[in-house]
Amino acid sequence: MEKSKIKKINFSFLWSRKIVIAAIIILLFVLWRSFAGKKESPVDTVTVSKGELVESISASGKIDAEEKADLTFQGGGRVSWVGVKEGDRVKKWQGIASLDTVSLAVAYQQALNTYKDKQASAEKAEDDVKNHASDETYAQKATRTTAQVARDSAYDSLKAAEQALKFATITAPFEGIITKASPAYAGVNVALGSAVYSIVNPKTMYFEAEVNEIDVMKIKEGQKVTLSIDAYPEKVFDTNIKLIGFSSVTTSTGGTAYKVKISLPRETGIAFRLGMKGDAEFILETKNDVLLIPSSCIFEDGDKNFVWFIQGGRLKRIQVEVGGSSIDQTEIKSGLIEGQKIVSYPKTNFKEGQKIKTS
């Protein structure tokens, strides 16, 4: 009887252990499912559709001007007059600022007096040997030559003094707007080159972009351009190419590009300013009823293009053949069909078969 009772107790104990183990397995399974669910990556998707593609090339740039200059005095001195301030409009040859000309006028008068003296000496030396070209002595020739050289040197000094007096006043080389006036008032002593008066002619402004050496061969002067200026985010300007540079430039990334000048439209209420940044879209071709996806959906692997699409809740990679492109869309020639859903912004850590949930 005692042995039989012991066996029964052991059997019950083993049965209880099985229940506990089963419960633990179920709990682990639930936890695993929960953990696996958290591993699902939420992604945004777009639908492949047909539409119009405006094939284009885009390039960034900024507004510049053909006529712009930093004006300064030819020498130093005390500023006696400033006739402009920043923002003023000036006409061509209008006075902008002047140096005190007292010392310059004295220097000019002294140079003029010296020239008159040397001129008289040279004329006397030349008169002494007049009609004696064949029998002029070496001494006479030396005297004449010395007098003539002194006269020529005095003349050069006179012209220099005349120029210094003339350039003591800065004048506008073209009409425009004063963008800098330094110093802005009289009475200041300035050194050579330290005074700066900047002027820009807004009528000569243009947008300049850098186009890489491959794409520059696809565009031509007069071609249509869509221009977006950061200062006017809600506005798009239709314009055209004014000039394509002949000499290349090196870009900030070390590439080769060419500067392209683009005309700025004249519109009421639009005020373009020097240095405003933006983007230019050069229109190459318009295609109708083509398969389109956002360019952000495409990623490269080697020399091939791919997109991710979702099949049965899991990622699947597919190779695509691309055609033309605009600033934000790309034509798909093969690999996708209309209505198919693809991932908008593929991540570098995506893997084939990875479980995905759409947001």
Side-chain angles (χ1 to χ4, degrees):
M1 291 294 291
E2 189 66 28
K3 289 182 180 179
S4 177
K5 186 177 180 182
I6 291 172
K7 287 182 180 179
K8 186 175 181 181
I9 291 172
N10 287 341
F11 178 78
S12 299
F13 176 73
L14 292 174
W15 178 254
S16 298
R17 286 186 64 187
K18 288 181 179 180
I19 293 175
V20 172
I21 292 172
I24 292 172
I25 292 172
I26 293 172
L27 178 61
L28 290 174
F29 179 76
V30 171
L31 291 174
W32 176 80
R33 286 299 299 269
S34 176
F35 179 76
K38 291 180 180 178
K39 281 291 186 180
E40 294 179 359
S41 303
V43 297
D44 294 324
T45 60
V46 294
T47 302
V48 181
S49 60
K50 288 187 176 182
E52 179 186 81
L53 175 70
V54 180
E55 190 174 352
S56 62
I57 298 167
S58 61
S60 299
K62 64 180 180 180
I63 293 176
D64 206 340
E66 299 280 3
E67 293 184 351
K68 62 177 182 178
D70 293 329
L71 310 174
T72 189
F73 295 111
Q74 295 284 317
R78 185 177 66 87
V79 178
S80 63
W81 171 77
V82 177
V84 298
K85 61 182 182 298
E86 187 174 337
D88 281 356
R89 289 184 174 272
V90 295
K91 297 179 180 179
K92 187 174 182 179
W93 305 130
Q94 180 178 330
I96 292 176
S98 294
L99 291 175
D100 185 358
T101 58
V102 173
S103 59
L104 294 174
V106 170
Y108 171 77
Q109 188 60 49
Q110 289 176 342
L112 179 60
N113 293 339
T114 300
Y115 171 70
K116 289 179 179 180
D117 178 61
K118 300 301 181 184
Q119 172 70 1
S121 297
E123 288 176 349
K124 181 181 183 305
E126 290 168 348
D127 189 62
D128 288 345
V129 295
K130 189 175 182 180
N131 300 322
H132 290 280
S134 60
D135 60 352
E136 181 181 17
T137 67
Y138 288 112
Q140 290 174 322
K141 183 176 182 180
T143 300
R144 176 179 57 80
T145 302
T146 300
Q148 289 173 332
V149 169
R151 177 193 59 193
D152 292 344
S153 297
Y155 179 78
D156 292 340
S157 297
L158 175 62
K159 296 305 293 184
E162 184 181 29
Q163 287 290 89
L165 186 59
K166 177 182 177 181
F167 291 132
T169 298
I170 295 175
T171 58
F174 45 78
E175 66 171 307
I177 297 174
I178 299 296
T179 59
K180 182 178 181 180
S182 176
Y185 44 83
V188 179
N189 290 316
V190 296
L192 173 64
S194 64
V196 178
Y197 297 89
S198 301
I199 179 174
V200 175
N201 185 353
K203 293 180 181 179
T204 67
M205 290 197 303
Y206 59 89
F207 185 87
E208 186 174 72
E210 292 183 356
V211 179
N212 69 61
E213 60 183 330
I214 297 175
D215 289 336
V216 77
M217 303 309 298
K218 302 175 184 177
I219 61 177
K220 59 183 179 181
E221 292 179 11
Q223 187 170 325
K224 183 180 177 183
V225 180
T226 300
L227 193 61
S228 300
I229 303 296
D230 294 348
Y232 299 100
E234 305 300 323
K235 185 74 174 175
V236 176
F237 304 96
D238 292 324
T239 181
N240 52 69
I241 297 175
K242 182 178 181 181
L243 179 69
I244 300 174
F246 189 78
S247 300
S248 65
V249 295
T250 302
T251 66
S252 57
T253 57
T256 300
Y258 292 82
K259 290 185 179 295
V260 178
K261 295 182 179 180
I262 300 163
S263 300
L264 287 176
R266 302 186 185 277
E267 294 190 23
T268 303
I270 299 297
F272 296 115
R273 295 182 183 276
L274 208 66
M276 283 184 173
K277 296 182 179 181
D279 297 290
E281 186 175 3
F282 304 90
I283 310 302
L284 302 180
E285 183 182 0
T286 300
K287 297 180 180 179
N288 296 308
D289 198 34
V290 295
L291 210 59
L292 299 174
I293 64 171
S295 300
S296 60
C297 297
I298 303 171
F299 66 95
E300 295 181 356
D301 188 354
D303 59 350
K304 297 178 180 178
N305 295 297
F306 295 87
V307 298
W308 291 104
F309 76 95
I310 301 171
Q311 187 177 60
R314 295 183 181 276
L315 283 174
K316 184 173 179 62
R317 191 173 85 154
I318 187 169
Q319 184 180 341
V320 294
E321 180 185 357
V322 301
S325 63
S326 66
I327 196 168
D328 56 1
Q329 289 187 308
T330 297
E331 175 191 5
I332 299 299
K333 290 187 173 182
S334 65
L336 296 174
I337 59 174
E338 187 177 6
Q340 199 168 6
K341 287 191 177 295
I342 59 174
V343 177
S344 295
Y345 297 95
K347 298 178 181 178
T348 56
N349 60 351
F350 277 171
K351 294 180 180 179
E352 186 86 19
Q354 180 178 336
K355 196 166 185 180
I356 289 293
K357 63 179 180 180
T358 58
S359 56

